[in-house]
Amino acid sequence: MRTHPPEFSELAERQQQIVTRAQLLATGFDDMYLYRQTRRGLWQRILPATYALVTGTLTDEQRRISAALYAGGEAQLTGLAALTWYGFRQSPRSDAVHLIVPHHARRKSAGHAVISRALALDDRARATPLYPVCSPARAVVDAARDLRQLRPVRAVVAEAIQRGYADLASLDEEIRRARRSRTALVRKAFAEVSQGTRSAPEAEIRERLAGSPVLSEIHWNPRLRDAGGESLPTPDGYLPDAAVALEVDSQEYHFRPADWARTLDRHNELSRRGVLVLHFTPAQIRRDPRRVRQLVEDACESRRGLGATVRLRIDPPHVPEPRSR
């Protein structure tokens, strides 16, 4: 059994058992040895000239490392793979690992490594020991350009803002950089978030209620204050003429008892000020949008003019500051 040199073992450990052919040859192995190891099932050739020194299914990180090693030292992780790395909860899962390389590079996509040539790399990319990761704003826009449905695009754009991964200015900059190249969906999602929508289900209920001849203007995620200036809980939507608040209750947010208790506190605080709070789940909004709209319209018609009695003040919506990872 061949003993691996210490420096090779350290390299393999640092790269989570993912190595390139060039690294193997530089350590003293030859192509025949590589062939025998893969033929015996001891190693895996997972990408061109890229090997896993283990068998079985690769982890997400091993897939990212292998794709980055294959793409070359100037490659930057982006798209859905980068959103997973950052910890986005609403990002769709994908087996592909998307990287951008300089425009002059000639590396092509292979296996799970999806390579795109870019006129400009991300100058705000985060450095990691094994590969750079595009900034959240760049990764969100790159991911959105590859998605074909509005719902997941809404989800990642809203999460980027809601959880502080990016701000509106940085997202707007990246959308402008991409110009009109497959950006219709991300432009729509960005416009919704700019107007106060904080999640994909909120955007969907907003879309369902748009154009209603019955409803007055809906304020999304408004900061409410009572007549004395005291700050009140922020509902997902608020119709001031009828003093009706809208809440989208997702299972993710209410998974823990503490989250559910906070929702009840918010409901009770608004209710004691005379606000009618209507709750809807994302499933209800998607499954029966006509009924959701009818419920909101009926509630507002029955309470028309009560907003003047409740006397709540609406401040401009607050946009959270970006955070560093």
Side-chain angles (χ1 to χ4, degrees), residues 43-325:
W43 292 358
Q44 300 180 69
R45 181 180 178 274
I46 50 179
L47 289 169
T50 310
Y51 295 83
L53 308 183
V54 293
T55 59
T57 304
L58 300 182
T59 65
D60 286 346
E61 179 65 0
Q62 286 175 318
R63 294 171 66 84
R64 290 190 288 262
I65 293 170
S66 61
L69 288 173
Y70 165 74
E74 293 182 285
Q76 296 178 340
L77 189 73
T78 192
L80 295 178
L83 299 185
T84 299
W85 184 86
Y86 278 111
F88 273 62
R89 297 171 184 168
Q90 303 301 321
S91 172
R93 299 290 297 176
S94 173
D95 291 334
V97 177
H98 187 188
L99 302 108
I100 53 174
V101 297
H103 197 263
H104 60 78
R106 291 294 177 262
R107 186 70 78 190
K108 296 181 180 180
S109 299
H112 61 268
V114 178
I115 312 297
S116 299
R117 290 187 294 163
L119 292 175
L121 297 180
D122 187 0
D123 58 7
R124 292 193 292 266
R126 313 288 177 88
T128 78
L130 295 175
Y131 49 79
V133 183
C134 284
S135 63
R138 177 68 174 265
V140 164
V141 174
D142 284 346
R145 293 171 69 193
D146 289 332
L147 295 171
R148 296 293 179 265
Q149 295 182 328
L150 180 57
R151 184 178 297 170
V153 174
R154 278 173 167 160
V156 296
V157 171
E159 184 174 3
I161 297 298
Q162 180 68 7
R163 297 185 62 202
Y165 287 113
D167 56 16
L168 291 174
S170 61
L171 280 174
D172 184 49
E173 180 181 345
E174 290 299 334
I175 293 172
R176 291 175 184 274
R177 176 198 55 76
R179 300 181 181 179
R180 294 289 175 178
S181 176
R182 296 175 288 130
T183 58
L185 296 182
V186 73
R187 287 175 184 274
K188 178 174 178 58
F190 176 78
E192 293 169 346
V193 171
S194 298
Q195 295 169 21
T197 305
R198 297 185 302 186
S199 70
E202 286 180 30
E204 290 170 12
I205 193 173
R206 177 176 182 164
E207 196 170 57
R208 302 297 186 264
L209 299 179
S212 169
V214 175
L215 303 179
S216 59
E217 180 184 5
I218 304 175
H219 295 260
W220 298 99
N221 297 290
R223 289 189 292 175
L224 301 179
R225 296 183 186 276
D226 64 14
E230 181 182 348
S231 179
L232 298 177
T234 297
D236 295 327
Y238 185 66
L239 295 96
D241 181 48
V244 170
L246 309 175
E247 291 280 14
V248 179
D249 299 329
S250 66
Q251 181 178 2
E252 177 193 6
Y253 181 76
H254 296 112
F255 183 76
R256 295 177 301 178
D259 295 329
W260 178 237
R262 279 194 292 270
T263 295
L264 292 179
D265 287 342
R266 286 155 49 89
H267 179 111
N268 293 338
E269 184 63 24
L270 291 172
S271 295
R272 79 182 185 93
R273 307 300 178 112
V275 176
L276 173 64
V277 185
L278 301 179
H279 294 263
F280 302 100
T281 67
Q284 286 177 303
I285 297 167
R286 292 164 187 165
R287 184 179 61 246
D288 200 353
R290 290 184 180 180
R291 175 168 171 74
V292 169
R293 177 166 164 166
Q294 189 65 54
L295 286 171
V296 177
E297 289 178 342
D298 290 348
C300 288
E301 282 193 309
S302 69
R303 293 172 55 86
R304 189 75 68 196
L306 286 180
T309 304
V310 174
R311 294 192 306 163
L312 297 188
R313 191 175 74 211
I314 301 175
D315 288 347
H318 172 68
V319 178
E321 295 296 327
R323 70 177 182 184
S324 59
R325 188 183 189 273

